[in-house]
Amino acid sequence: MQSSKSPLKRRPKTARVPTPARFEALGTRWNIQLMEPVESEAWSDLLKKIRRRIEVFDKTYSRFRADSWVSEVSRRAGNYQLPPDGYALLHFYEQLYQATDGKVTPLIGQTMAAAGYDAQYSFVPGELQRPARWEAALAYNSRQLTVRQPALLDFGAAGKGYLVDIIGELIEQAGVRSYLINAGGDIRHRSAQAEALDIGLENPLNTSEALGIARLNNQSLCASAGSRRQWGKFHHIIDPVELRSPRRVLASWTIAGDTMTADGLATALFFAEPAALQKRFSFSYAVLYKDMSLRRSPDFPAAIFTAEAS
């Protein structure tokens, strides 16, 4: 989306394609690259806006911060004003919740913390309890969230992808149409000339190797792998019913029109069959199972280096 209010000023004699911005935020590495010339001052101002927007998002949705909106919600039941970007995120999570029979849920926060993925990153498991069902705990509309019982919300399944989309919109509002955002593997690609980009698909068992090459063209690509953050018998995805991390799937890759969708579905594929998810969402996928068999949709645009299973 473009805006006439604050486009990046362009001076052909001095503007150049800026050096990519690389920084740490939300516990991961960010790489933002513009693919068209802009003035250095305008690029610097845009980066400041991006960093401020990331900070606002973190202070709103992080369950690791005592001063966040999510932490406030966890302390008592009641009605809470939704953040301006909260409705879209909650609505998407509700769709994921329904599509996975409750396995992907924002109510997983306390269970994750009890497993050791807590604010102190102790990674020392305690006693886990099943989170409440959505219907018993949450109700919302475009302005308000009602929490019927205190709940530590966790938006890790799709929150970072959503933030990548928000940052992408900031860049586009500044008048830039060709760029790449990579936030720890959550990737958003836009090209005014529709120039495709090749992305390696990381081997979850050996991160120095690629299992294949995906071709991205004005789309988003996200991956999820249990090997990325694991401790003891757990990794960063926990089944809210069985109270254990799923092991049947080693890794998943999804391509969709936006990063929030790709991010959330990469997690959902650990719990639901692809065909069931494709009834609700538009995306392509590849899934690597623990026996090293690979299943992918016919439209997943990748060359795979390993044997495949249909």
Side-chain angles (χ1 to χ4, degrees):
M1 178 186 305
Q2 294 189 8
S3 169
S4 60
K5 295 181 179 180
S6 56
L8 290 181
K9 298 178 181 178
R10 301 174 186 277
R11 295 178 183 171
K13 292 183 180 180
T14 59
R16 60 182 178 83
V17 176
T19 301
R22 297 182 175 91
F23 54 89
E24 295 283 338
L26 276 68
T28 196
R29 184 74 172 168
W30 287 68
N31 184 334
I32 301 177
Q33 181 176 356
L34 305 189
M35 299 175 181
E36 56 188 75
V38 298
E39 290 182 333
S40 59
E41 183 178 351
W43 176 224
S44 177
D45 289 344
L46 179 56
L47 281 176
K48 290 176 183 177
K49 291 180 182 179
I50 289 171
R51 296 298 295 266
R52 287 196 296 267
R53 188 64 182 88
I54 292 173
E55 169 61 21
V56 168
F57 193 91
D58 187 50
K59 192 171 181 179
T60 302
Y61 297 110
S62 175
R63 67 175 175 85
F64 303 103
R65 295 179 57 152
D67 63 343
S68 71
W69 177 81
V70 159
S71 291
E72 179 186 358
V73 168
S74 73
R75 296 185 187 113
R76 64 172 180 83
N79 297 322
Y80 294 87
Q81 182 177 349
L82 266 185
D85 49 27
Y87 180 82
L89 187 59
L90 275 172
H91 181 65
F92 180 60
Y93 263 88
E94 186 176 25
Q95 293 179 74
L96 288 176
Y97 182 87
Q98 294 169 353
T100 60
D101 294 326
K103 295 298 183 78
V104 177
T105 171
L107 293 157
I108 196 69
Q110 189 55 51
T111 304
M112 297 291 293
Y117 196 7
D118 50 31
Q120 293 73 41
Y121 297 96
S122 69
F123 299 113
V124 178
E127 183 179 353
L128 277 64
Q129 294 184 349
R130 292 177 177 174
R133 297 285 297 177
W134 184 298
E135 306 80 29
L138 300 178
Y140 70 99
N141 56 39
S142 60
R143 298 179 303 276
Q144 179 177 280
L145 173 69
T146 298
V147 181
R148 299 189 176 105
Q149 52 186 282
L152 180 60
L153 302 177
D154 180 285
F155 294 103
K160 181 154 61 70
Y162 185 36
L163 178 57
V164 167
D165 288 332
I166 290 172
I167 300 306
E169 291 174 0
L170 276 180
I171 294 172
E172 292 171 30
Q173 287 166 7
V176 175
R177 297 182 298 162
S178 301
Y179 61 89
L180 176 71
I181 304 172
N182 184 343
D186 289 357
I187 298 170
R188 178 181 170 110
H189 170 258
R190 293 294 184 267
S191 171
Q193 293 76 37
E195 295 177 351
L197 183 70
D198 289 340
I199 303 290
L201 304 179
E202 184 180 271
N203 183 347
L205 302 181
N206 184 349
T207 57
S208 66
E209 295 180 353
L211 294 178
I213 300 292
R215 176 150 289 192
L216 208 58
N217 197 333
N218 283 300
Q219 297 164 301
S220 292
L221 167 69
C222 292
S224 188
S227 58
R228 266 299 179 180
R229 176 168 276 145
Q230 57 182 331
W231 67 100
K233 63 180 182 179
F234 296 107
H235 57 66
H236 72 289
I237 301 172
I238 294 180
D239 187 314
V241 177
E242 298 183 7
L243 299 179
R244 62 180 179 84
S245 292
R247 299 292 177 179
R248 176 172 171 259
V249 172
L250 288 181
S252 63
W253 298 268
T254 54
I255 292 178
D258 65 274
T259 324
M260 179 174 69
T261 297
D263 194 15
L265 291 173
T267 298
L269 284 168
F270 277 72
F271 299 112
E273 288 299 312
L277 296 173
Q278 287 187 314
K279 292 178 180 179
R280 290 175 176 260
F281 306 100
S282 177
F283 70 106
S284 60
Y285 67 88
V287 182
L288 182 68
Y289 296 94
K290 65 180 181 180
D291 63 358
M292 295 304 292
S293 64
L294 185 76
R295 180 180 179 184
R296 62 168 172 161
S297 58
D299 58 344
F300 188 73
I304 304 297
F305 305 150
T306 188
E308 300 184 29
S310 60

